[in-house]
Amino acid sequence: MTRDDPGAGTSGFGGDLLDLVVSASADGVIAVDDQGIVRLCNPAATELFGRPARELLDAPFGFPIVAGQSTDVELTQPGGGVRVVEMRVSATTSYGAALRVITLRDVTSRWLAFQRLLLPTLPDLAPHQAAVVYRPAAEQLGGDWYDALPLPGGAVGAVIGDVAGHSLQAAAAMAQIRNMLRALLYDRPAAPGSVLATLDRTLHAINENPVTTACVACIEPSGDGWRLRWSSAGHLPPLLLTAAGTPEYLHTEPGLPLGVEPGRPRFASTRSLPGGATVIFFTDGLIERPGESIDVGLAALAAIAESSAGLPLDELCRTLADQHPGDGHDDMAILALRMPAGPHDGDAAR
């Protein structure tokens, strides 16, 4: 290789090392000297980093290098997002110079599959119907999540949230926050504001987590109908669809996202739900377009929901995801719950 080649390294290294690079060209290969400076990289490595060879060569590698070590690292891409790469390090020499040869393999798909396993399968929430859609953004890790669970007294809990970022840290924080929220909501189903306040203080005390938005809700029996209690931590309002298909956003005190000011109080709102009504929780990837007011996206989503209100619940969710007004740059999660059409039967709930 010469410096004019896309993956060329510095001169002075022998054919044995070049042969190693060529033979492993399906994976990224980088050679680093004893000072941690990149001396050679192949085209597959430049593709993984998303940068030309001239930006990698003669510069510090940027990750700890220990011979015999294998670890997964995140490579931030120039256009945003990250790739998760398995990094294997071995030692060699060339013309008496000690080198570390680093083999890089993209394992983002493995982590995406693991992230999907972290998201729950909805339990039986009868007499309510429930449906979800989750779609990651352009094969990137993300922090969007949903949850729904039966609660004491015939109530149903619902959670939607979004951890900032597209990284392993965001995915890990999502799993931790979801599990903590589930326990807190089951313990105090009638107090979603208190649930968010306790979660915020706990996260602040035990760990540094990325900024997170969330909406926590409880749908509980009320007379012969249903009542919604919900609290928001900087999250978008749920969308209510009546049985006739009339859309309405359930605005409330938005509150600050989790991780911003843990000592602030959290507030909850209450709303009666008519029979056959549908409550739709969603994350901002469904509606956001850079440079466009979020109100435009909200209005477009309400129009799509109104025209699709008569669909079965799972088809309604898929339609919202397929026709979403967002630009597709971010993850999207949708959780929908539909109330029974008839009056609430208190004995059945108990």
Side-chain angles (χ1 to χ4, degrees):
M1 286 184 176
T2 68
R3 276 190 172 273
D4 292 332
D5 293 328
T10 57
S11 59
F13 292 107
D16 57 337
L17 182 56
L18 292 179
D19 288 342
L20 174 61
V21 173
V22 172
S23 65
S25 60
D27 294 331
V29 178
I30 286 179
V32 178
D33 65 18
D34 57 0
Q35 301 300 312
I37 304 300
V38 176
R39 295 305 182 188
L40 187 143
C41 59
N42 73 339
T46 63
E47 196 276 332
L48 285 173
F49 277 87
R51 298 160 57 190
R54 63 179 178 273
E55 294 184 11
L56 299 176
L57 293 169
D58 303 323
F61 179 60
F63 294 99
I65 307 167
V66 179
Q69 184 183 66
S70 176
T71 186
D72 288 351
V73 299
E74 293 179 320
L75 302 183
T76 302
Q77 301 299 291
V82 298
R83 274 179 165 174
V84 184
V85 174
E86 181 185 55
M87 185 176 78
R88 296 178 179 271
V89 183
S90 58
T92 189
T93 59
S94 180
Y95 287 93
L99 295 175
R100 296 292 184 268
V101 177
I102 302 158
T103 304
L104 305 167
R105 177 169 296 176
D106 192 338
V107 293
T108 306
S109 59
R110 180 196 306 167
W111 281 101
L112 282 169
F114 179 68
Q115 179 184 339
R116 292 301 297 267
L117 292 175
L118 296 176
L119 295 171
T121 299
L122 292 184
D124 182 5
L125 299 174
H128 299 83
Q129 299 177 45
V132 295
V133 169
Y134 171 77
R135 293 182 183 174
E139 294 302 302
Q140 295 183 30
L141 288 167
D144 287 23
W145 90 95
Y146 59 85
D147 200 3
L149 66 157
L151 298 173
V156 170
V159 178
I160 197 84
D162 184 0
V163 180
H166 293 274
S167 64
L168 290 175
Q169 183 187 15
M174 175 270 287
Q176 180 188 46
I177 293 171
R178 185 185 74 83
N179 289 336
M180 294 176 67
L181 259 179
R182 172 173 277 233
L184 289 169
L185 184 56
Y186 191 87
D187 183 62
R188 53 188 88 165
S194 173
V195 166
L196 282 175
T198 302
L199 175 68
D200 206 4
R201 292 193 302 269
T202 305
L203 290 173
H204 179 72
I206 66 175
N207 201 1
E208 285 192 14
N209 280 289
V211 172
T212 302
T213 68
C215 181
V216 176
C218 171
I219 298 172
E220 60 189 9
S222 176
D224 62 354
W226 301 92
R227 178 172 54 219
L228 174 70
R229 299 180 189 269
W230 80 102
S231 183
S232 175
H235 203 79
L236 294 168
L239 175 59
L240 172 66
L241 273 180
T242 66
T246 304
E248 177 191 350
Y249 283 105
L250 301 179
H251 293 283
T252 186
E253 168 63 45
L256 292 173
L258 302 172
V260 175
E261 192 175 335
R264 280 188 82 140
R266 300 280 177 180
F267 303 95
S269 297
T270 304
R271 172 66 180 267
S272 295
L273 298 175
T278 301
V279 184
I280 303 169
F281 305 88
F282 57 94
T283 56
D284 56 10
L286 195 66
I287 61 164
E288 279 192 339
R289 286 183 177 273
E292 186 175 86
S293 168
I294 197 169
D295 291 333
V296 174
L298 288 171
L301 182 67
I304 298 168
E306 183 175 16
S307 65
S308 309
L311 294 174
L313 196 58
D314 56 348
E315 291 185 34
L316 171 62
C317 288
R318 286 196 299 270
T319 299
L320 295 178
D322 291 341
Q323 302 181 18
H324 66 90
D327 69 348
H329 77 285
D330 202 359
D331 309 8
M332 63 178 72
I334 305 170
L335 168 64
L337 294 171
R338 181 167 287 170
M339 307 305 109
H344 163 65
D345 183 349
D347 291 334
R350 282 192 294 273

